[in-house]
Amino acid sequence: MKFNVTRWIIFALVAIAIIIPVMIKERITLPESSSSVVKNIYDFIEKLPEKSPIIISVDFDPSSDEELRPMIKALLRHAFRKNLRVIGMTIWDAAAGGTLINIFNEMGKEAKKEDGVDYAIMPFKPGGSSIILLLSQNVYDAYPKDYKNNLNKDLPVFKGIKTLKDMKYAMCVSAGQAVDTWIIYGKEKGKMPLGAGCTAVMATDYYPFLQSKQLVGLMGGLSAAAQYESLIKHKDTATESMKPQTVVHALIIILIIIGNIMYFTGKRKKA
Amino acid sequence: MPINELTSGQIIEAWLAVGFTLMIYSFLYKDNPVFKLGEYMYVGLTAGWGLCVAWYMVVWPDLVSPLSRVIGSYFGKQLEKPLEPHETLWLFIPLILGVFMLTRFSQKIGWLSRYTFAFIMGAVSGMAIPLVVSADIFKQMVPTLNPLWTSADASFLAIMNSFLILIGVISVLIYFFFSLEHKGVVKVVSKIGIFYMMVAFGASFGYTVMARESLAIGRITKLVNWAGKEYYYATIILFLVVVIFIVLYEIINRLKKQQTPPAE
Amino acid sequence: MKRNLPLLIAFVMGILFIIQFFVPHQWSQEMLTWGNKWIVIIGGISLLLGISSLIHFHYVQVKRSVPGWGYSLVMFGAFIIAITAGFLPSIIRWFLPPIAPDADPGKWLGFLPLYPGLEEGSPLFWIFLNGISPFMATMFSLIGFFIASAAFRAFRARSLEATLLLIAAVIIMLGQTPLGAMIWEKIPDIMVWIFNVPNTAAKRAILFGIAMGSIAFSIRIILGIERAYLGGKD
């Protein structure tokens, strides 16, 4: 019973640590942490000429939505502002197809961009690496039609694109192994510049690929999304969420300290 | 009279989302029927969604529709421009392999599914080997060995870091080299490898905390928004409903326990 | 026939696709394209396999009245709602005369703004946004609470190794938020150094291990040493 009560107290503390900062509506200006690996992605997109085709792989489902949606939103805002042609796809499981359609339509509407002209949404296809290999051979073999059943060959957004090599930039935002798949199959076969976004859980795994230049840049978790939002000067949910995030991190560090004090005093008593 | 700009549809959606969210959060108290109900609804809806995705995004456009030259004649409707005959023929191979796979549950003809798995596993393995060697081994070796010959233009700190990475990679690899007995020099080096790994795992843990909390923050932020007047206090009312339900459930459970003495 | 032929298929496919990598000829490229097209289609059918096994499991639960079988009925209810929402508009549309080409496809029933299939605005998509999304998002956000409790109970500086892990974790937690720079301006720099040097080194060595392992596994499959995926006894 005692075990459960301590747990409930901690759960309640976490909830309070989130709810109170969320309810304080005033924007508290906190110093922003900056990381060059996020800025590399921003700089790369910033330098692309107008109408350059880029491909964004939305490889997460609603379970990681709160963490990764802000990333895609910021990326799309940036790409649409730069008038790039954006192709959206997914190699993640079936539910990711819904997330992809939802985000692209939302951002397309916001930027007043036209589906089929400025952006296109590909349907979900299973078989991860196979889809990327198909893209590297011929885009229209992988995706003959968009998710609304329009022939991709006829869409203005696909003008001049034949394979992955024609893409000026590819970005995979993933909650699973999709970034690895993109590095192994997409980057090796397509040779296009590749960037990655991922949940913070996996972010440390991709640092070796930054040093080897297999990745242009990396966005790991909410703090990276918040940084991208401030780079494009359009603050949104990620920036907002950093307020409770800071408080919760402080809480967890305090919990770790208390836990260790209890551990060492208990040990001394036993001795 | 509406209090705000929200449509009734948006309000219903918010109430549904709040209800589903709180059903799952009731697990924080402990496993209970409300959570289970939510869990099974979630599984059912997701399975239904998956089935429709498989049909609308793959089976229909890639298989059924192109084969319409054959299938269409049964319906008396030409579904779309038919493929060239040789392309249609090619599609029968994945169709047959796919049907073979569906025999997996049969005791008698389940072995047919092995052809499908053998095809996929063989092909995927063959495609992977050269690319994994190139991407994960060769391309990763280059920057590891870099400082040994091209560091003239780099700063002292950068060179130091490059050497530290080289030492780290080697020592972690030696730690995982279990064919060598970990004694003497090998023991010292593998200990250094452990230190590197601990720092890396610590970094992963710190990042993991951020990831998990950001998901909770996202949900709770939405719950706070939905608690407002414009949503007719959805969060507050449904929270009370869930609490009352759990209290009743606990009371009934205790009464039941009192009535049936423990069997010994 | 039951065992040797599948092993031969795996061997032939594996060798073919390894050789394919080194041959730039058009036929070789065509083979890669067709091989992958088939894998995608089989993958689509395999989605059905996963769902059919789920349905079978819950069907057995209900049939045998296993404790908690009522929940399996709930699952069936939700499943039927989802597939009805997914297929009904298309089925109705199948029997209706085709709409005018310039008409809004969402208004094909005149009064019901329902798009068929998976388009945004279809009933199934509504279920995705308002049913599946909150469930999925909340399910995974539960861990946010449990990780705090785990950090309190298990994160102890018991040894030098554990202390290193703890210090690195705390620096990252501080450095990711503005808190780090507020306490000491060097914390973000230390965090970046941890990511770029010790983390990169350790993760690269682990990556080598994983890559070697996956290559070895692939070779075992091609050579027929690894047979677990075939299942069955004979």
Side-chain angles (χ1 to χ4, degrees):
Chain A
M1 193 64 195
K2 197 182 160 221
F3 164 72
N4 255 346
V5 173
T6 341
R7 211 161 70 160
W8 289 334
I9 292 170
I10 293 173
F11 291 167
L13 285 174
V14 172
I16 293 166
I18 298 172
I19 292 171
I20 292 175
V22 167
M23 284 175 77
I24 299 170
K25 286 284 178 236
E26 297 100 74
R27 192 169 271 173
I28 304 166
T29 41
L30 295 161
E32 276 153 18
S33 57
S34 64
S35 147
S36 60
V37 290
V38 178
K39 196 161 180 300
N40 285 350
I41 296 177
Y42 173 84
D43 290 341
F44 194 91
I45 294 181
E46 192 63 24
K47 277 188 202 131
L48 288 175
E50 249 188 40
K51 294 285 169 199
S52 304
I54 66 170
I55 190 160
I56 297 182
S57 192
V58 180
D59 299 314
F60 60 92
D61 52 32
S63 51
S64 309
D65 210 85
E66 313 288 0
E67 196 180 2
L68 297 178
R69 182 180 283 254
M71 254 181 224
I72 300 268
K73 279 170 84 173
L75 271 171
L76 281 178
R77 277 193 182 118
H78 192 195
F80 285 150
R81 194 187 292 166
K82 293 284 302 172
N83 277 327
L84 304 177
R85 288 181 285 156
V86 191
I87 291 153
M89 59 167 285
T90 179
I91 59 167
W92 186 244
D93 70 11
T99 305
L100 164 72
I101 295 168
N102 186 240
I103 301 183
F104 265 69
N105 279 333
E106 184 193 333
M107 296 326 292
K109 236 176 256 168
E110 186 195 276
K112 298 196 176 63
K113 297 286 178 181
E114 202 181 324
D115 188 353
V117 179
D118 305 296
Y119 69 95
I121 304 169
M122 298 303 112
F124 162 74
K125 302 273 177 191
S129 56
S130 292
I131 280 294
I132 298 178
L133 285 173
L134 277 174
L135 278 173
S136 71
Q137 299 282 96
N138 184 341
V139 173
Y140 309 102
D141 276 331
Y143 297 114
K145 292 173 174 184
D146 75 352
Y147 91 109
K148 280 182 171 168
N149 258 335
N150 301 309
L151 271 179
N152 282 338
K153 272 197 171 117
D154 303 339
L155 295 178
V157 67
F158 275 95
K159 207 177 141 203
I161 300 173
K162 203 170 173 286
T163 70
L164 214 48
K165 285 195 178 88
D166 299 318
M167 297 291 173
K168 298 291 174 244
Y169 180 66
M171 177 93 193
C172 170
V173 177
S174 161
Q177 293 301 308
V179 175
D180 297 83
T181 315
W182 269 96
I183 292 170
I184 295 171
Y185 298 92
K187 177 74 184 166
E188 286 303 304
K189 279 281 194 177
K191 314 276 184 220
M192 72 291 153
L194 176 68
C198 60
T199 59
V201 177
M202 306 137 36
T204 52
D205 296 351
Y206 299 121
Y207 273 80
F209 296 106
L210 288 168
Q211 201 211 2
S212 65
K213 307 260 181 328
Q214 282 162 285
L215 289 178
V216 172
L218 176 69
M219 287 205 255
L222 201 68
S223 63
Q227 199 194 333
Y228 209 91
E229 282 179 0
S230 70
L231 283 169
I232 61 165
K233 299 192 176 61
H234 188 128
K235 297 201 172 166
D236 200 7
T237 44
T239 313
E240 283 293 310
S241 300
M242 281 317 284
K243 207 164 49 178
Q245 189 87 51
T246 309
V247 181
V248 176
H249 279 202
L251 171 73
I252 290 178
I253 291 170
I254 292 168
L255 284 175
I256 291 175
I257 293 170
I258 295 174
N260 274 288
I261 291 173
M262 278 163 61
Y263 169 70
F264 282 110
T265 49
K267 218 170 141 185
R268 211 166 285 160
K269 264 184 202 164
K270 266 185 196 166
Chain B
M1 199 184 76
I3 327 172
N4 48 51
E5 310 275 297
L6 295 172
T7 62
S8 49
Q10 282 170 312
I11 292 167
I12 292 169
E13 285 166 6
W15 275 73
L16 277 177
V18 172
F20 295 155
T21 305
L22 291 177
M23 276 167 114
I24 302 296
Y25 270 158
S26 70
F27 185 75
L28 290 174
Y29 168 65
K30 64 184 192 189
D31 200 358
N32 67 75
V34 182
F35 169 75
K36 276 229 176 75
L37 198 68
E39 192 188 9
Y40 280 75
M41 277 163 74
Y42 159 60
V43 173
L45 289 178
T46 314
W49 165 266
L51 181 77
C52 294
V53 165
W55 176 258
Y56 281 111
M57 289 184 167
V58 190
V59 179
W60 172 261
D62 290 351
L63 199 63
V64 179
S65 181
L67 290 172
S68 64
R69 174 171 280 193
V70 190
I71 298 165
S73 57
Y74 287 102
F75 292 100
K77 261 190 184 182
Q78 196 68 27
L79 300 173
E80 69 180 68
K81 192 175 139 274
L83 293 170
E84 296 295 316
H86 76 276
E87 285 181 308
T88 316
L89 274 179
W90 277 125
L91 282 175
F92 276 102
I93 296 173
L95 176 68
I96 292 166
L97 286 173
V99 172
F100 276 5
M101 192 173 44
L102 294 179
T103 65
R104 188 78 172 177
F105 295 119
S106 158
Q107 299 246 317
K108 265 187 194 164
I109 50 164
W111 56 272
L112 280 173
S113 66
R114 288 178 181 175
Y115 292 113
T116 316
F117 287 108
F119 169 80
I120 292 186
M121 295 299 273
V124 169
S125 302
M127 288 176 205
I129 291 173
L131 291 170
V132 172
V133 170
S134 168
D136 284 357
I137 297 180
F138 289 163
K139 294 239 165 78
Q140 286 295 313
M141 268 184 192
V142 174
T144 314
L145 301 173
N146 230 1
L148 302 179
W149 60 83
T150 57
S151 47
D153 53 337
S155 67
F156 174 71
L157 257 175
I159 296 170
M160 276 309 292
N161 282 341
S162 301
F163 269 102
L164 282 175
I165 290 178
L166 179 65
I167 294 166
V169 172
I170 292 171
S171 54
V172 175
L173 282 176
I174 284 178
Y175 168 76
F176 280 114
F177 206 71
F178 294 117
S179 344
L180 269 178
E181 204 181 338
H182 285 197
K183 266 201 313 203
V185 185
V186 180
K187 193 181 174 187
V188 176
V189 177
S190 67
K191 193 82 183 168
I192 296 173
I194 293 176
F195 291 156
Y196 268 90
M197 277 193 289
M198 285 303 140
V199 174
F201 294 152
S204 288
F205 182 83
Y207 247 150
T208 303
V209 167
M210 178 166 88
R212 299 312 182 200
E213 296 308 336
S214 57
L215 299 182
I217 288 167
R219 270 344 270 170
I220 292 180
T221 307
K222 290 209 167 105
L223 284 181
V224 170
N225 286 341
W226 287 324
K229 197 178 173 189
E230 64 273 28
Y231 289 102
Y232 300 95
Y233 311 104
T235 307
I236 298 165
I237 294 172
L238 289 175
F239 179 74
L240 290 176
V241 171
V242 171
V243 169
I244 290 169
F245 183 88
I246 288 177
V247 169
L248 286 177
Y249 167 72
E250 283 287 322
I251 291 172
I252 292 169
N253 249 0
R254 298 238 165 116
L255 285 177
K256 262 189 196 164
K257 263 188 198 160
Q258 280 170 6
Q259 278 169 6
T260 49
E264 275 187 51
Chain C
M1 185 73 177
K2 285 182 182 177
R3 176 159 283 269
N4 289 337
L5 193 58
L7 291 177
L8 183 70
I9 293 175
F11 177 76
V12 172
M13 293 319 292
I15 298 294
L16 263 181
F17 279 104
I18 292 176
I19 297 171
Q20 185 283 327
F21 181 78
F22 301 99
V23 182
H25 190 273
Q26 195 199 336
W27 285 8
S28 150
Q29 301 305 319
E30 287 265 313
M31 189 183 85
L32 182 66
T33 302
W34 278 103
N36 282 312
K37 272 188 176 178
W38 294 349
I39 292 174
V40 171
I41 295 173
I42 297 169
I45 301 174
S46 79
L47 289 177
L48 303 180
L49 181 76
I51 292 160
S52 70
S53 82
L54 181 85
I55 298 293
H56 181 74
F57 173 78
H58 286 283
Y59 170 72
V60 173
Q61 297 286 101
V62 176
K63 201 176 150 197
R64 295 193 187 148
S65 302
V66 178
W69 61 273
Y71 293 119
S72 294
L73 275 186
V74 172
M75 201 251 18
F76 276 119
F79 178 72
I80 289 165
I81 290 173
I83 53 171
T84 311
F87 289 118
L88 195 61
S90 301
I91 293 169
I92 298 171
R93 195 175 193 177
W94 180 270
F95 291 106
L96 284 182
I99 49 163
D102 54 337
D104 181 359
K107 298 272 163 64
W108 51 269
L109 267 183
F111 55 96
L112 267 177
L114 299 181
Y115 289 84
L118 293 166
E119 282 180 41
E120 200 150 20
S122 71
L124 185 63
F125 209 88
W126 188 87
I127 288 179
F128 174 78
L129 288 180
N130 301 295
I132 295 170
S133 291
F135 273 135
M136 264 193 168
T138 315
M139 203 65 100
F140 281 80
S141 75
L142 279 177
I143 310 170
F145 292 90
F146 288 105
I147 206 170
S149 146
F152 173 67
R153 277 186 287 112
F155 222 33
R156 305 268 198 263
R158 280 177 222 274
S159 61
L160 179 59
E161 286 91 340
T163 313
L164 268 178
L165 191 129
L166 202 148
I167 292 171
V170 170
I171 290 174
I172 306 306
M173 270 189 257
L174 288 173
Q176 285 297 325
T177 60
L179 215 59
M182 267 151 57
I183 293 171
W184 186 36
E185 61 196 8
K186 287 269 182 259
I187 284 183
D189 297 336
I190 297 172
M191 177 185 77
V192 171
W193 182 82
I194 289 177
F195 284 148
N196 285 333
V197 181
N199 169 65
T200 298
K203 288 292 160 74
R204 179 170 289 151
I206 293 170
L207 182 72
F208 282 145
I210 294 172
M212 296 285 191
S214 77
I215 292 165
F217 189 72
S218 299
I219 293 174
R220 283 168 64 91
I221 286 174
I222 294 170
L223 297 180
I225 305 167
E226 176 63 55
R227 300 171 179 196
Y229 68 92
L230 291 176
K233 280 173 200 155
D234 52 339

